[in-house]
């Protein structure tokens, strides 16, 4: 489904490449290795999540597909909370509140879809 | 209130970085902003759960609705917002090093990627409206327009906040000991990104 609209597909590929290039430059300029690695990890997970349905990774097994996509949501959320929001260096209560959100919400949504 | 900020009876355990000493544990930004962020996250959680429940009741309508969306625009928007969030994170890092002008420049790059998000979102809305699809078409599109418009408003508010933060940073208004306002703005922007990474799979992918 994602591959049917060529114009905007090529735009997405260009944007992705621009992101990689600018990130490499910024990383070398500002020595932000931790942020850059997290950002590349987030981009990779986003692409995997978006294309997992198109490439039918799970042989039309909707339940596994939903769990997979929601697990990726948790992985991405954890990275944003800990690295971008810098809550890894914050008091435990606040880190737990935000991490609880990115764990609980996907779990609730998974329960709604699967039960 | 101070107990909330400093509450940490033990070290944070993480695989990603060394355990910070207790004295260095500090909530970035203003406490009020974090309560605001929690309130916003709660409102969106209710919307996301409502969307998932509605999908179980009208699965045919939602399946058809999702095929009418432009999935690639959702992917572009996700990449744009994550990249924007990354630039805000390194702008904050630059500000910690008291490089105000560099930090302001990085915030401008962050806003450029946010503009990509806004442009794609507006294009997506116009495409749907040209197809005769609007907020009253069915339950799926009611929730789609409501949730994504609400999120778009948060993006716009975040851009206004980043605009003022960038101006103050460029004028040297922040330093290592006075950076709370910058951190609050950055945290708000990361919240907008966090919400989108849940919204995108829920509405476009699953």
């Amino acid at each position: 489904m994602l591959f049917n609209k060529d114009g905007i597909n090529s735009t997405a590929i260009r944007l992705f490449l621009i992101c990689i290039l600018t990130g490499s430059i910024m990383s070398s300029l500002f020595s932000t290795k931790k942020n850059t690695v997290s950002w590349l990890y987030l981009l990779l997970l986003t692409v995997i999540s978006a294309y997992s349905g198109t490439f039918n990774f799970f042989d039309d097994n909707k339940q596994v597909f939903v769990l997979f996509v929601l697990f990726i949501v948790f992985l991405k959320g954890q990275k944003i909370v800990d690295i971008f929001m810098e809550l890894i260096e914050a008091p435990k209560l606040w880190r737990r509140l935000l991490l609880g959100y990115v764990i609980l919400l996907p779990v609730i949504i998974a329960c709604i879809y699967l039960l | 209130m101070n107990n909330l900020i400093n509450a940490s009876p033990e070290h944070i355990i993480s695989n990603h970085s060394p355990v910070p000493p207790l004295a260095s544990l500090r909530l970035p930004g203003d406490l009020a902003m974090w309560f605001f962020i929690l309130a916003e996250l709660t409102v969106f959680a209710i919307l996301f759960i409502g969307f998932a429940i509605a999908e179980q009741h009208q699965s045919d309508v939602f399946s058809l609705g999702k095929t009418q969306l432009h999935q690639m625009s959702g992917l572009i928007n996700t990449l744009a917002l994550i990249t924007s969030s990354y630039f805000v994170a390194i702008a904050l890092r630059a500000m910690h090093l008291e490089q105000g002008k560099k930090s302001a420049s990085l915030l401008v790059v962050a806003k450029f990627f946010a503009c990509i998000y806004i442009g794609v979102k507006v294009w997506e809305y116009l495409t749907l409206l040209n197809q005769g699809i609007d907020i009253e078409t069915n339950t799926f599109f009611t929730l789609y327009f409501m949730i994504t418009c609400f999120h778009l408003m948060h993006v716009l508010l975040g851009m206004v906040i980043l605009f003022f933060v960038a101006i103050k940073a460029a004028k040297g208004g922040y330093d290592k000991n006075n950076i709370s306002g910058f951190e609050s703005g950055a945290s708000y922007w990361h919240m907008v990104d966090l919400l989108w990474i849940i919204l995108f799979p829920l509405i476009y992918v699953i």
Side-chain angles (χ1 to χ4, degrees), chain B residues 193-204:
Chain B
D193 183 29
L194 182 64
L195 289 170
W196 182 263
I197 65 149
I198 301 170
L199 189 157
F200 168 61
L202 185 66
I203 293 183
Y204 290 85

Side-chain angles (χ1 to χ4, degrees), chain A residues 8-9 36 90-92 101 113, chain B residues 5 10 12 41 55 72 86:
Chain A
I8 202 151
N9 274 350
T36 305
K92 196 170 186 175
Y101 186 85
Y113 275 96
Chain B
I5 303 171
E10 54 193 90
I12 290 172
L41 289 174
E55 183 165 0
M72 185 52 74
Y86 163 68

